[in-house]
Amino acid sequence: DAGVIQSPRHEVTEMGQEVTLRCKPISGHNSLFWYRQTMMRGLELLIYFNNNVPIDDSGMPEDRFSAKMPNASFSTLKIQPSEPRDSAVYFCASSSGAGALYNEQFFGPGTRLTVL
Amino acid sequence: AQTVTQSQPEMSVQEAETVTLSCTYDTSESNYYLFWYKQPPSRQMILVIRQEAYKQQNATENRFSVNFQKAAKSFSLKISDSQLGDTAMYFCAFMKHDSGNTPLVFGKGTRLSVIA
């Protein structure tokens, strides 16, 4: 299996621009998580989905952030408009609810976002 | 809400020696999981070890073992025979047990340097 795939790996943009981060979970996994990592706040949950349905988006900083999961194999995290304080590494993770792999989350390589 | 505290921002250890990383957590949940993740400079999140709260026996994975003290809400990681490849950030994480998959709550991390 290719693991969790995220794109792009690096993104540099200017303040005010729209940014879209993409994630392809491991095939067969039914939960998907978006985390953000910064020096100041560490790793924190933004939003997660079970069976493509958003369950908890309380970690989404503000209305500038939105996330979708139109099907079981794709999710996006969009920031519009972007601000310098959004600069961080964004991780996507997926997990299965079945068998011995229950509750282990597999992380993608992350997207490093820099907003100038 | 759950919180995870790692009180050691940085640690160092000589190659082949043993080091222990500390983690405490706070929760009112009775059924949960605890994890240690490793993040090397590549920033990939790698699961090191997992502990189910209902198991009294401490988990062990090769050179990695934990000391799980449920009453004290303590979950430390011991690395034996430290190797240069163990140099990384280490994150302690908590996950509530639920019928579906639930998010991880992370500590702020401990940066471990293994010195030759």
Side-chain angles (χ1 to χ4, degrees):
Chain A
D1 199 316
V4 176
I5 299 173
Q6 290 188 249
S7 64
R9 294 292 305 275
H10 304 273
E11 177 81 23
V12 180
T13 190
E14 294 193 345
M15 183 173 63
Q17 296 298 306
E18 177 179 296
V19 175
T20 299
L21 311 182
R22 297 173 176 79
C23 176
K24 177 178 170 55
I26 292 172
S27 177
H29 282 190
N30 61 346
S31 294
L32 185 140
F33 306 82
W34 283 101
Y35 295 95
R36 180 172 67 174
Q37 184 178 27
T38 61
M39 289 293 291
M40 291 296 293
R41 299 174 67 89
L43 276 155
E44 53 185 351
L45 177 76
L46 296 177
I47 185 171
Y48 79 101
F49 299 82
N50 281 341
N51 297 313
N52 311 338
V53 176
I55 302 301
D56 183 358
D57 66 353
S58 60
M60 297 285 263
E62 48 201 89
D63 292 345
R64 297 184 298 107
F65 285 68
S66 63
K68 294 181 179 179
M69 192 164 185
N71 57 62
S73 58
F74 185 65
S75 178
T76 59
L77 178 67
K78 185 176 293 186
I79 308 172
Q80 166 65 18
S82 58
E83 296 182 2
R85 58 187 167 134
D86 301 330
S87 297
V89 178
Y90 292 80
F91 286 100
C92 175
S94 71
S95 64
S96 167
L101 294 179
Y102 180 78
N103 72 36
E104 178 175 349
Q105 292 185 18
F106 295 83
F107 282 76
T111 295
R112 179 177 293 280
L113 173 65
T114 302
V115 183
L116 303 175
Chain B
Q2 288 71 229
T3 60
V4 177
T5 302
Q6 294 179 250
S7 59
Q8 306 150 315
E10 294 188 17
M11 294 189 72
S12 62
V13 62
Q14 291 289 134
E15 195 175 9
E17 297 296 309
T18 295
V19 64
T20 298
L21 279 55
S22 300
C23 173
T24 58
Y25 60 95
D26 190 24
T27 184
S28 59
E29 301 287 334
S30 58
N31 200 4
Y32 51 87
Y33 305 90
L34 295 165
F35 305 84
W36 280 97
Y37 278 86
K38 170 185 177 180
Q39 187 180 43
S42 67
R43 79 169 181 248
Q44 180 68 48
M45 295 292 287
I46 302 166
L47 179 63
V48 175
I49 199 165
R50 178 182 80 189
Q51 175 80 42
E52 289 88 345
Y54 62 86
K55 290 186 177 180
Q56 291 188 336
Q57 186 173 6
N58 289 326
T60 298
E61 289 287 343
N62 301 313
R63 298 183 295 107
F64 299 87
S65 62
V66 298
N67 183 4
F68 174 46
Q69 301 290 328
K70 190 172 184 179
K73 295 181 181 175
S74 171
F75 183 61
S76 61
L77 174 69
K78 185 172 80 172
I79 306 175
S80 304
D81 185 26
S82 296
Q83 301 175 359
L84 296 177
D86 295 334
T87 293
M89 283 289 290
Y90 287 82
F91 293 95
C92 179
F94 173 101
M95 179 192 288
K96 181 176 68 171
H97 177 72
D98 205 338
S99 56
N101 290 319
T102 57
L104 290 160
V105 177
F106 289 94
K108 289 291 179 64
T110 296
R111 184 177 302 279
L112 177 67
S113 298
V114 180
I115 303 166

